[in-house]
């Protein structure tokens, strides 16, 4: 009542409250000089050679040390902060992927594909800052927490038979890393919705407004990731901040009706597209809590339209036309791995609003064709053999254009060597014979000691741990093909260990092929805005070049799950016939049935037979018995018959149970 009587005090309190909210939300600096929470949103669009479009959403949230704000957060998701503090996580990455990255068409030697191309299903790896004997307990609790947080079956990775600890062949992480995958996990909107709830504006404003579910899940490739990095070490007594990176990578097919109408007779037609035609929406402005809010258009290396472009002639390019004027243009510096350079267009979303939404479009004027830069060797994996007893896994490596050009140019007197790391995890029911490892180079068998420089194997244990193989190959630079083969036996499972779709087969996770001597990066000309963009800063970092192979589907010996039903059905039928016949025999009364039949026959014959029967009875000196209908008690089973039936039934059940 006092505040209502003094409206100027009430207005002052409301204005002060709003000012404090804005001051906290936009990441000011506290008295100690520590940086507060920040959030950025960015989108990268990239045309692909096979007439598709790559859209890469990048959201980054940075949280300060917990001592600065206590348990309260304004931008950073509280659930993630509690997760890091509870399990003492140094680094963690979780990915949900649907589809497989096409390394031949979409490239593999660039920061985007090396960091965001993931295997199908769920992949989780983490580095804990705990003693060695506490890692298993921390991993188990972490999988259960993530399973509830993202509405997935990540808790299936809690068992020691589903995860492994690679020593030196897993390039994304350094240290004592724990790695696990679920290749058969289905990815749907139930996993995307909790992922979006970690964003300050969710999908209600900013670039995240483009995340239309039907548009995303009808694409050829879909991968959402969550990467956590703790910038300090709690073991040193320093409570550091957390960096949370949320990325969503999708490969979509633009609507090519316009391109078909214009260039119906051309062979290589790149479809024209726009944001509204791909996602069905436009960007009506940035998220008010995001500082950098930008959209980038990347023209890949090798694209003819990107050669010779500068900030002065991009409008007069004869190959394409943009529907919006870019705010900045970044040119890539010279690279030793490629003669052609990439060009990056930057569009700032802050300038647009609901009355003037942002909608970038690209119109191709002439047909173009190019190739993305690939990894030094293209890796593929397949199964050999037939039957339900024994088979073999083969990993094939084929040279690419990168190998033929760069590697041959850097060879010195034929002594150039190409190092390849292979990391393979197999389930415990795949009994791998590691001594059967064979190596082929250019389709010729080679000695294992000549090609394999280093190897580490961990045989699987039944229901305890999977089989792990880490191999370092040293191949000649001019190699055309190389292959690894290893034999295995197919194990037997208990009936309760089979999956609901056991007849489909069992999955073997993807193998990781990495090239330690090569790193992918995209360095642009120095500019102040590059340091403000987390996406461009990440592109300039050197990331290891790696690729994932296919997921293998192994058919195991599967029992006939319908046999129990058939046995129960046949047994019940036999028992029904047996007891039905037995009860029918025990319930019958022969004398009463005969009298009933005689009475029924007498009624049908009339009075003459009745008189004859009376006369016969008098001659014999016997009294004529009156004919009665069967009494009502004939349908009643007395207690003795019930006891007999129960006794016979008990003997039959005991006999059946004993001999079964």
């Amino acid at each position: 009542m006092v505040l209502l009587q003094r409206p100027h005090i009430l207005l002052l309190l409301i204005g002060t409250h709003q000012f404090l909210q804005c001051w906290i939300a936009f990441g000011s600096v506290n008295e100690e000089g520590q940086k507060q929470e920040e959030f950025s949103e960015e989108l990268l669009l990239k045309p692909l050679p096979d007439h598709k479009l790559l859209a890469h959403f990048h959201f980054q949230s940075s949280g300060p040390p917990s001592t600065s704000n206590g348990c309260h957060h304004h931008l950073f998701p509280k659930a993630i902060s509690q997760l890091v503090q509870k399990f003492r996580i140094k680094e963690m990455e979780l990915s949900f992927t649907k589809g497989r990255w096409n390394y031949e068409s979409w490239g593999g030697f660039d920061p985007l594909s090396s960091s965001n191309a993931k295997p199908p299903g769920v992949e989780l790896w983490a580095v804990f800052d705990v003693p060695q004997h506490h890692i298993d307990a921390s991993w188990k609790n972490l999988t259960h927490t993530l399973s509830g947080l993202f509405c997935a079956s990540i808790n299936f990775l809690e068992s020691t038979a589903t995860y492994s600890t690679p020593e030196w062949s897993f390039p994304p992480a350094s240290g004592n890393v724990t790695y696990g995958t679920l290749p058969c996990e289905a990815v749907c909107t139930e996993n995307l919705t909790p992922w979006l709830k970690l964003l300050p504006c969710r999908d209600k404003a900013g670039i995240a407004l483009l995340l239309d579910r039907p548009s995303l899940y009808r694409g050829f490739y879909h991968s959402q990731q969550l990467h956590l990095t703790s910038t300090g070490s709690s073991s040193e007594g320093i409570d550091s901040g957390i960096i949370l990176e949320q990325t969503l990578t999708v490969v979509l097919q633009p609507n090519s009706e316009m391109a078909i109408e214009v260039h119906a007779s051309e062979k290589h037609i790149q479809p024209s597209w726009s944001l509204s035609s791909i996602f069905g929406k436009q960007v009506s402005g940035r998220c008010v809590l995001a500082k950098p809010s930008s959209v980038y258009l990347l023209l890949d290396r090798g694209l003819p339209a990107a050669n010779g472009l500068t900030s002065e002639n991009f409008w007069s390019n004869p190959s394409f036309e943009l529907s919006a004027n870019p705010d900045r243009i970044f040119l890539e510096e010279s690279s030793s791995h490629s003669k052609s350079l990439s060009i990056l267009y930057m569009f700032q979303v802050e300038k647009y609003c609901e009355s003037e939404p942002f909608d970038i479009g690209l119109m191709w004027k002439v047909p173009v064709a190019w190739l993305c830069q690939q990894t030094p060797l293209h890796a593929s994996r397949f199964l050999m053999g037939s039957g339900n007893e024994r088979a073999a896994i083969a990993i094939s490596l084929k040279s690419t254009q990168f190998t033929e050009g760069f590697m041959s140019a850097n060879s010195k007197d034929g002594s150039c060597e190409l190092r390849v790391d292979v990391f393979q995890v197999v389930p415990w029911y795949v009994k791998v014979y590691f001594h059967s490892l064979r190596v082929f180079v250019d389709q010729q068998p080679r000695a294992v000691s000549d090609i394999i420089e280093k190897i580490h194997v961990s045989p699987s244990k039944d229901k305890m741990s999977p089989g792990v193989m880490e191999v370092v190959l040293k191949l000649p630079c001019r190699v055309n093909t190389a292959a690894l083969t290893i034999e295995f036996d197919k194990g037997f499972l208990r009936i309760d260990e089979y999956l609901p779709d056991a007849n489909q087969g069992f999955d073997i996770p993807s193998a990781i092929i990495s090239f330690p001597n090569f790193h992918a990066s995209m360095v642009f000309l120095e500019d102040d805005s590059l340091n403000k963009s987390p996406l461009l800063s990440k592109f300039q970092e050197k990331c290891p070049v790696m690729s994932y192979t296919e997921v293998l589907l192994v058919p195991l010996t599967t029992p006939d799950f319908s046999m129990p039903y058939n046995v129960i059905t046949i047994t019940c039928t036999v028992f029904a016939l047996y007891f039905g016949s037995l009860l029918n025999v025990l319930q019958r009364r022969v004398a009463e049935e005969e009298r009933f039949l005689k009475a029924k026959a007498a009624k049908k014959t009339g009075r003459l037979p009745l008189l004859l029967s009376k006369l016969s009875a008098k001659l014999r000196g016997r009294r004529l018995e009156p004919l009665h209908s069967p009494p009502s008690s004939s349908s009643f089973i007395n207690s003795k018959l019930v006891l007999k039936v129960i006794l016979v039934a008990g003997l039959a059940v005991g006999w059946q149970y004993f001999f079964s």
Side-chain angles (χ1 to χ4, degrees):
M1 296 297 294
V2 177
L3 292 177
L4 294 176
Q5 294 176 359
R6 298 181 179 180
H8 59 280
I9 298 179
L10 181 61
L11 293 176
L12 180 61
L13 291 176
I14 294 175
T16 305
H17 177 68
Q18 293 179 351
F19 173 77
L20 289 176
Q21 282 186 337
C22 296
W23 181 75
I24 293 174
F26 282 94
S28 58
V29 179
N30 57 13
E31 296 178 357
E32 299 176 358
Q34 295 178 346
K35 200 172 184 180
Q36 294 295 319
E37 302 175 11
E38 292 183 353
F39 173 71
S40 64
E41 56 177 6
E42 295 171 295
L43 169 62
L44 177 69
L45 302 172
K46 176 183 176 182
L48 297 175
D50 57 348
H51 301 178
K52 296 179 180 60
L53 178 67
L54 171 66
H56 177 70
F57 296 84
H58 185 274
F59 307 95
Q60 179 170 310
S61 303
S62 59
S66 59
T67 54
S68 59
N69 290 338
C71 298
H72 303 283
H73 296 274
H74 306 287
L75 296 179
F76 197 84
K78 184 178 180 180
I80 300 299
S81 177
Q82 293 175 343
L83 190 74
V84 175
Q85 296 175 10
K86 176 70 176 178
F87 305 118
R88 299 177 64 181
I89 300 175
K90 278 186 175 181
E91 190 175 6
M92 187 198 76
E93 184 174 280
L94 173 65
S95 64
F96 297 87
T97 306
K98 178 183 178 182
R100 183 176 180 269
W101 184 268
N102 190 345
Y103 289 95
E104 293 182 347
S105 300
W106 305 339
F109 199 88
D110 59 274
L112 196 60
S113 60
S114 298
S115 303
N116 298 278
K118 296 298 178 180
V122 171
E123 183 190 46
L124 173 65
W125 59 267
V127 179
F128 299 96
D129 188 19
V130 296
Q132 182 68 28
H133 59 280
H134 289 165
I135 291 181
D136 292 341
S138 300
W139 174 267
K140 179 179 179 180
N141 295 330
L142 175 64
T143 55
H144 280 268
T145 305
L146 294 175
S147 180
L149 186 61
F150 291 99
C151 193
S153 304
I154 310 176
N155 58 312
F156 287 172
L157 293 173
E158 67 170 350
S159 173
T160 56
T162 56
Y163 66 87
S164 59
T165 54
E167 293 189 358
W168 36 263
S169 61
F170 190 70
S174 59
N176 195 2
V177 60
T178 307
Y179 177 84
T181 58
L182 290 175
C184 58
E185 180 72 13
V187 182
C188 60
T189 56
E190 293 181 354
N191 311 123
L192 180 61
T193 301
W195 186 84
L196 290 173
K197 288 183 179 179
L198 300 177
L199 302 177
C201 297
R202 299 192 178 183
D203 58 344
K204 306 301 180 182
I207 295 178
L209 188 65
L210 298 174
L211 298 178
D212 180 60
R213 272 65 165 185
S215 302
L216 296 178
Y217 286 98
R218 68 166 175 256
F220 296 89
Y221 178 82
H222 172 276
S223 179
Q224 63 184 60
Q225 303 175 43
L226 183 141
H227 186 88
L228 282 174
T229 304
S230 181
T231 56
S233 176
S234 59
S235 61
E236 300 175 358
I238 302 175
D239 191 5
S240 59
I242 308 170
I243 297 178
L244 170 64
E245 294 182 37
Q246 295 177 249
T247 60
L248 178 63
T249 307
V250 292
V251 176
L252 305 172
Q253 178 66 59
N255 186 9
S256 58
E257 294 180 358
M258 186 181 303
I260 292 176
E261 293 178 359
V262 177
H263 306 288
S265 61
E266 299 291 343
K267 182 178 180 181
H268 302 287
I269 302 173
Q270 285 294 329
S272 301
W273 51 266
S274 63
L275 289 180
S276 57
S277 64
I278 297 173
F279 300 103
K281 297 180 180 179
Q282 297 177 346
V283 182
S284 58
R286 68 179 181 92
C287 174
V288 295
L289 301 176
K291 280 190 174 180
S293 181
S294 307
V295 176
Y296 301 95
L297 174 63
L298 177 63
L299 297 183
D300 200 3
R301 303 167 179 170
L303 182 64
N307 296 331
L309 286 179
T310 61
S311 58
E312 290 81 10
N313 65 349
F314 74 93
W315 280 112
S316 59
N317 188 270
S319 302
F320 65 91
E321 180 181 354
L322 298 177
S323 62
N325 190 356
D327 299 300
R328 303 291 297 273
I329 296 180
F330 301 101
L331 298 177
E332 185 185 9
E333 291 184 355
S334 59
S335 174
S336 59
H337 303 318
S338 177
K339 298 180 180 179
S340 57
L341 304 178
S342 301
I343 185 170
L344 187 70
Y345 296 97
M346 176 181 177
F347 304 86
Q348 296 181 354
V349 186
E350 293 89 345
K351 303 188 304 181
Y352 300 90
C353 57
E354 294 184 0
S355 59
E356 186 183 354
F358 173 73
D359 186 13
I360 177 64
L362 177 64
M363 172 72 73
W364 294 97
K365 299 179 181 179
V366 295
V368 292
W370 74 99
L371 294 175
C372 291
Q373 194 169 6
Q374 301 180 9
T375 56
L377 295 175
H378 175 68
S380 62
R381 190 179 60 165
F382 53 90
L383 288 176
M384 299 190 305
S386 61
N388 293 325
E389 182 179 1
R390 173 169 286 194
I393 300 176
I395 300 177
S396 175
L397 304 174
K398 296 182 180 180
S399 63
T400 60
Q401 185 179 5
F402 178 88
T403 310
E404 297 174 358
F406 176 78
M407 301 299 293
S408 60
N410 289 270
S411 61
K412 298 179 180 179
D413 301 331
S415 61
C416 175
E417 293 181 338
L418 173 63
R419 177 177 172 178
V420 181
D421 291 356
V422 180
F423 173 60
Q424 173 69 74
V425 180
V426 294
W428 64 267
Y429 45 80
V430 176
K431 313 295 183 180
V432 177
Y433 296 105
F434 292 103
H435 71 276
S436 63
L437 179 63
R438 301 180 63 187
V439 182
F440 298 86
V441 176
D442 292 334
Q443 301 181 355
Q444 298 296 328
R446 300 286 296 273
V448 175
S449 58
D450 296 340
I451 302 299
I452 297 181
E453 179 186 13
K454 187 178 180 181
I455 184 172
H456 171 262
V457 296
S458 177
S460 61
K461 298 180 181 180
D462 289 352
K463 304 178 182 63
M464 293 295 295
S465 62
V468 180
M469 182 180 69
E470 301 177 80
V471 179
V472 175
L473 304 177
K474 278 205 168 182
L475 303 173
C477 292
R478 298 182 180 275
V479 62
N480 294 323
T481 59
L484 297 175
T485 62
I486 189 168
E487 299 178 359
F488 67 91
D489 277 350
K490 302 178 181 180
F492 292 91
L493 305 179
R494 296 172 58 91
I495 191 171
D496 56 348
E497 294 174 345
Y498 284 92
L499 300 175
D501 54 346
N503 291 306
Q504 179 185 356
F506 292 81
D507 296 308
I508 296 182
S510 300
I512 301 178
I513 312 297
S514 58
F515 305 91
N517 297 333
F518 299 92
H519 295 83
S521 63
M522 191 173 293
V523 181
F524 297 94
L525 297 177
E526 290 296 333
D527 193 276
D528 295 337
S529 59
L530 293 177
N531 299 327
K532 300 179 181 179
S533 172
L535 179 61
L536 299 183
S537 300
K538 192 173 184 62
F539 278 2
Q540 297 187 88
E541 298 176 358
K542 292 184 178 181
C543 61
V545 178
M546 54 183 295
S547 61
Y548 292 86
T549 63
E550 301 87 349
V551 175
L552 297 181
L553 194 63
V554 180
L556 298 182
T557 302
T558 306
D560 185 5
F561 294 102
S562 64
M563 183 55 68
Y565 170 77
N566 297 334
V567 172
I568 293 173
T569 304
I570 295 175
T571 305
C572 292
T573 303
V574 172
F575 270 85
L577 293 175
Y578 173 73
F579 284 107
S581 303
L582 180 63
L583 293 175
N584 188 22
V585 171
L586 295 176
Q587 288 181 1
R588 287 183 179 180
R589 295 185 178 183
V590 181
E592 291 184 359
E593 289 184 359
E594 289 180 354
R595 286 195 294 269
F596 176 73
L597 293 175
K598 290 180 180 180
K600 189 175 181 180
K603 290 181 181 180
K604 292 183 178 180
T605 55
R607 291 185 177 183
L608 182 58
L610 183 60
L611 294 175
L612 293 176
S613 62
K614 288 181 179 181
L615 180 60
S616 176
K618 287 182 179 181
L619 292 176
R620 293 180 181 180
R622 295 181 180 179
R623 186 174 59 88
L624 180 64
E625 295 182 0
L627 298 175
H628 299 283
S629 60
S632 60
S633 61
S634 62
S635 61
F636 178 78
I637 304 176
N638 55 24
S639 59
K640 292 184 179 180
L641 290 176
V642 172
L643 293 176
K644 291 180 180 179
V645 171
I646 294 176
L647 179 60
V648 174
L651 292 175
V653 172
W655 184 274
Q656 181 70 18
Y657 178 79
F658 178 79
F659 282 97
S660 63

